[in-house]
Amino acid sequence: DKNSDIRITGLRAARRYKQDVIPYVSQLVKDPSPQVRRECAIALHHNKSPEASALWVTLADQYDGKDRWYLEALGIGMDEQEQKFLTAWLKQAGDHWNTPVGRDLIWRSKIPLAVPYLVKIIEDPKTDLDTLPRYFRALDFIPGTEKNRAVAELALMKEPQNKKRETYIIAEAISRMPANTVMQDAKYKQALTQVIDSSRGTSEFIKLVQKFKASDYYPELVEIASRAGKSQTSVDAIRAALSLKQNTLIRKSLENKADTEKEQNQKLDLIWALGSAGHNSANGILLKLITDQDEPLVDRREAVRAIAKSRSGAHALLDLAEKKDFDPQLQQTVAAAMSSTIMKDVKERSARLYPAPPTKDNKPLPPINVLASIKGDKLDGRVMFNTKGTCAKCHVVNGMGKEVGPNLSEIGKKLSREALFESILFPSAGISHNFESYTVILASGNVVNGLLVNKTDDAITIRDAEAISRTFKMEDVDEIIQQKISLMPADLQKVLTQEELVNIVEYLTTLKQAEPIKKASR
């Protein structure tokens, strides 16, 4: 039939009614339609005919190296006959097997016969670094001693002209070897030390240090967790340190005083990684940090957010809240974290302690994760931002508004929808750096509240809620107190309906690029 769909249907019908499909496949094996040829490959599934392997080879020769469904059909066709079919193809290919098509067929076969070919592909300098994981994963599916010997061979590979490739290959190979084999053989032990030293700061480094319990490098795991930012690498590093029972090392790192903004951010990233690691032993470290009144408030707030990510951690946090053995300065942070949780049991328990804040119409708001899923009206949100929401009284957007709080001209690319709702509903849950509120008590008895603009040995400048900056001589100041709550009101939602609140956040998400400020013409 001229219609390829009819030809496919006919082939499927032959299989369905258990007819001998070989004559049909022989007739269609060079069909111009790749869809028909894919169906032919599938029709050879578990077919024991002597002609099956030759037909499969003919179909494989027409694979273009791009059609992943064609490759999958070839894989289905050779199931349980991989040795027979691949041997036939390799015999025909001869020395010309190492092509994109040949590599795909060998990768897909996952049999011991493929092992020496996979090794040659991995060792081939022309094999791109970013494709190597694919071939190592293929080795993982192949059982037997031949695979183990191949991995051991790769662990000693040398490629001086491309040290990055060499390091990756040795790391991947040696990580697949039994630890006792490596540690009892001088040449493998030397290769391990070499690759650990060469891969510092990478995922390979973390994997090797953890597997081989390379204790000399344990401090570097904690260092990576604090210096890799909020990333998969930092989470993997701290999870490895926790698995290796390096809690004391982690606590020591957290106890170090952060003297610079960079060090403070690294400390916060380490706390974040602890919460993201999904390791139960992180809870004890985080709880100690949360309950230690001598620790900086910013660290304790981050620890609250971190521990609330796990079910056991969230319940431990709620245990403290129920016992009222809790610093009031952390209440908003806990409430925000609980509002964002998706764990039903945690949500139900926290609702009794931290009921949702009411809106203008006195209706409780849904949890933050639910609010974040609601689509708003950005145009109405812009109006609300500048009117009922009173946001412009303290925030600048593209040159408009008062500069009391952070400039929001690019807030849409800095915070997620969830984080935007949290910042509005629980402003003291996480106060932005340089926007902490201060109280200045003057010798005259007057008290001034606001943001710290500047402080020297001679004077201090405070900007109040009206964006007015005032400077006082230090000789006129009795006391300076850093406040633990945000200058931003904690009940803004009371002047808005839920819809208006959602619209404001929708507007904020659009603020991704600051617009040039146009000077007024005279």
Side-chain angles (χ1 to χ4, degrees), residues 61 86-107 113-124 127 135:
D61 284 341
L86 188 62
T87 298
W89 183 85
L90 287 168
K91 183 178 180 180
Q92 176 185 282
D95 294 335
H96 303 291
W97 65 269
N98 195 3
T99 64
V101 169
R103 289 183 172 204
D104 276 355
L105 295 176
I106 289 163
W107 167 82
L113 174 64
V115 169
Y117 295 95
L118 287 168
V119 170
K120 288 177 182 177
I121 292 169
I122 291 169
E123 290 179 333
D124 187 347
T127 304
Y135 300 111

Side-chain angles (χ1 to χ4, degrees), residues 52 115 139 179 189 209 242 295 312 358:
V115 169
L139 282 173
K189 196 172 180 180
V209 170
L242 290 166
E295 290 292 339
S312 59

